[in-house]
Amino acid sequence: IYNAVGVAIVVVTGVWLGHHHGGFAWDGSAHQFNVHPLCMVLGMVVLYGDGEAPVLLYRVFPRESKRNLKILHGSIHLLALLVSIIGLVAVFNFHRVSGIPDLYSLHSWCGVLTVTLFLVQWLMGLGFFLFPGASSWLREWYLPLHAFFGLFLLAVSIATCLTGITEKLLFSIMETYSLRAPEGLLANSLALLLLLFGGLVGFIVTREEFRRPPQPEEEALSVHFTSLTPSSP
Amino acid sequence: IYNAVGVAIVVVTGVWLGHHHGGFAWDGSAHQFNVHPLCMVLGMVVLYGDGEAPVLLYRVFPRESKRNLKILHGSIHLLALLVSIIGLVAVFNFHRVSGIPDLYSLHSWCGVLTVTLFLVQWLMGLGFFLFPGASSWLREWYLPLHAFFGLFLLAVSIATCLTGITEKLLFSIMETYSLRAPEGLLANSLALLLLLFGGLVGFIVTREEFRRPPQPEEEALSVHFTSLTPSSP
């Protein structure tokens, strides 16, 4: 069901920017700005949410091994990161061409902070969980932090989208927004969809009963490898 | 530590509205509008966060009984709700006096939604956990939902503050915001404090190891009362 909401989010964003703001391009014009919200919503919310936590992927691929789910988790988040970076390049480049100052608004502060922390989180996940170097107690120590920050960053990311939608509406339809212009209603609804998506992903990820049951033979070989070695008979 | 951040939030909000917007009053003027952000931040974020989850209160009052902690949780949230409602009355009344339309912006949609859901959540908490009527399996079924929505509403509430700060800055300092006016930097920093506060509360509340250890004799008498009755020897 969160996937349906995710698709709806991308479609509504596309309609908003396509119908009300003339579509997408990469020419330094306002059409290039439109690439920014689309990429950020697709990258930092929908792809990020879809790849969020092996727990969600496990619901979709119940027969996959833990290692493959981890690789899939990392790959979807890498894609999310790349799409988001395209979205950032789009807006910084648009600002440069149009002579608009960077990084003064709350939206920009939150956005840069979120993407930076997401990159750090991704690199730390790679180092701790996919490279064989990290010891088992280090992984066990880091896992709850990784899970917490994963969800926290999704929340900050959605909050940042909401400030971005508010900014865009006040910049472009300040006069008619308060008269309930259709564009305002559409963009407000997009924001509610984003909150719904975040709520669904957050709810599923935090449910104990949706978690992948540990499979003893895999556990022994991956997470608990070092603790097994000294105590095995 | 989240308490220090909470106090900092209220102080920064007070300085922002007091120094840059002329302080507080209840006369239908812009000074009455200032009551709105102060009350919402105090009610829906700081008090809400401080009273969030008996788990936080348990850290502060480790010797209190479970029932007293629940009553304290409910009371702080009732206070949060009342302060928030004063904040809503302040802005609706200001809009009426100034002829500004209501409920068109994303900020207003999110805000009304959040306070309404908070009221529902509070009433359901009262009915399920403080009145003796609810059966044990009903309480056990509702508890994770109550806990999830508690944290989700804090997140939406902070996101709503961020859209409100963005709106206020674009309405009042549109020209100088992009020149990094001190007011803009102050309000942006306030928003970062709100995110930090939400992150700290969220982190503490979701830690297993910070949870109140169940005390067998209380458990038997409260939550598991009905399940105990038929199987007791």
Side-chain angles (χ1 to χ4, degrees):
Chain A
I1 182 158
Y2 66 89
N3 277 314
V5 178
V7 171
I9 285 171
V10 176
V11 170
V12 173
T13 310
V15 169
W16 176 28
L17 301 165
H19 181 73
H20 293 283
H21 292 282
F24 307 92
W26 196 278
D27 53 4
S29 76
H31 297 160
Q32 179 174 331
F33 171 83
N34 293 346
V35 174
H36 170 68
L38 187 71
C39 280
M40 298 324 282
V41 155
L42 180 63
M44 287 304 296
V45 181
V46 177
L47 282 173
Y48 185 106
D50 276 349
E52 177 55 15
V55 88
L56 284 192
L57 299 170
Y58 164 67
R59 304 305 300 174
V60 184
F61 307 104
R63 294 189 187 289
E64 213 50 65
S65 77
K66 186 168 179 176
R67 185 176 170 80
N68 284 351
L69 287 179
K70 287 203 282 185
I71 292 173
L72 191 59
H73 173 54
S75 309
I76 297 179
H77 276 192
L78 180 62
L79 186 63
L81 199 52
L82 293 177
V83 170
S84 307
I85 289 171
I86 296 173
L88 286 189
V89 172
V91 73
F92 277 104
N93 187 256
F94 165 71
H95 278 184
R96 199 178 48 75
V97 172
S98 315
I100 299 171
D102 289 321
L103 295 178
Y104 66 87
S105 73
L106 175 57
H107 173 68
S108 63
W109 286 23
C110 290
V112 167
L113 186 75
T114 316
V115 175
T116 308
L117 289 177
F118 180 27
L119 177 64
V120 171
Q121 165 96 340
W122 191 88
L123 289 172
M124 286 183 71
L126 187 75
F128 276 85
F129 300 123
L130 279 173
F131 284 138
S135 68
S136 121
W137 72 263
L138 213 56
R139 288 184 179 194
E140 268 176 44
W141 169 81
Y142 178 57
L143 181 60
L145 287 175
H146 185 78
F148 173 77
F149 276 99
L151 212 48
F152 179 67
L153 286 182
L154 180 63
V156 181
S157 175
I158 292 175
T160 307
C161 291
L162 267 50
T163 60
I165 292 171
T166 297
E167 268 193 5
K168 178 69 184 163
L169 292 175
L170 292 183
F171 284 141
S172 59
I173 58 161
M174 174 78 94
E175 304 302 317
T176 55
Y177 192 18
S178 62
L179 306 171
R180 297 199 171 72
E183 179 184 344
L185 300 178
L186 182 73
N188 285 3
S189 308
L190 169 61
L192 296 185
L193 282 177
L194 290 168
L195 289 175
L196 178 64
F197 183 82
L200 285 171
V201 169
F203 185 76
I204 296 171
V205 164
T206 52
R207 275 327 76 186
E208 270 309 318
E209 62 267 31
F210 286 171
R211 202 165 281 180
R212 186 173 193 270
Q215 296 174 12
E217 71 285 7
E218 287 186 345
E219 281 289 300
L221 287 172
S222 62
V223 176
H224 299 301
F225 187 73
T226 55
S227 65
L228 185 80
T229 318
S231 67
S232 63
Chain B
I1 184 159
Y2 66 89
N3 276 315
V5 179
V7 170
I9 286 172
V10 176
V11 170
V12 173
T13 309
V15 170
W16 176 28
L17 301 165
H19 181 72
H20 293 284
H21 291 284
F24 307 92
W26 196 279
D27 53 3
S29 75
H31 297 160
Q32 180 174 332
F33 171 84
N34 293 345
V35 175
H36 170 69
L38 187 69
C39 281
M40 299 322 282
V41 155
L42 179 63
M44 288 303 296
V45 180
V46 177
L47 282 173
Y48 186 106
D50 276 349
E52 176 57 13
V55 88
L56 284 193
L57 298 171
Y58 164 66
R59 304 303 301 173
V60 184
F61 307 103
R63 297 191 183 288
E64 214 47 67
S65 77
K66 186 170 181 177
R67 186 176 170 79
N68 284 351
L69 287 178
K70 286 202 284 185
I71 291 174
L72 191 60
H73 173 54
S75 308
I76 297 179
H77 275 192
L78 180 62
L79 186 63
L81 199 51
L82 293 177
V83 171
S84 307
I85 289 172
I86 296 173
L88 286 188
V89 172
V91 72
F92 277 105
N93 186 258
F94 165 71
H95 277 185
R96 197 178 48 75
V97 172
S98 317
I100 298 171
D102 289 319
L103 295 179
Y104 66 88
S105 72
L106 175 56
H107 173 68
S108 63
W109 287 24
C110 290
V112 167
L113 187 75
T114 316
V115 176
T116 308
L117 288 177
F118 180 29
L119 178 64
V120 171
Q121 167 95 340
W122 191 87
L123 289 172
M124 286 181 74
L126 187 74
F128 275 85
F129 300 122
L130 279 172
F131 283 138
S135 69
S136 119
W137 72 263
L138 212 57
R139 287 184 179 195
E140 267 175 43
W141 169 81
Y142 178 56
L143 182 60
L145 287 175
H146 185 78
F148 173 76
F149 275 101
L151 212 47
F152 179 67
L153 287 182
L154 180 63
V156 180
S157 175
I158 292 174
T160 306
C161 292
L162 267 51
T163 60
I165 291 171
T166 297
E167 267 192 4
K168 178 68 185 166
L169 291 174
L170 291 183
F171 284 142
S172 58
I173 58 160
M174 175 78 93
E175 304 302 318
T176 55
Y177 193 17
S178 62
L179 306 172
R180 297 198 172 73
E183 180 183 346
L185 300 179
L186 182 73
N188 286 3
S189 308
L190 170 61
L192 296 186
L193 282 177
L194 290 168
L195 289 175
L196 178 64
F197 182 82
L200 285 171
V201 169
F203 185 76
I204 296 171
V205 165
T206 52
R207 276 326 76 185
E208 271 306 321
E209 63 267 32
F210 286 172
R211 202 165 282 180
R212 187 173 192 271
Q215 297 174 11
E217 70 287 6
E218 287 185 347
E219 282 289 301
L221 286 171
S222 61
V223 176
H224 298 301
F225 187 73
T226 56
S227 65
L228 185 78
T229 318
S231 66
S232 63

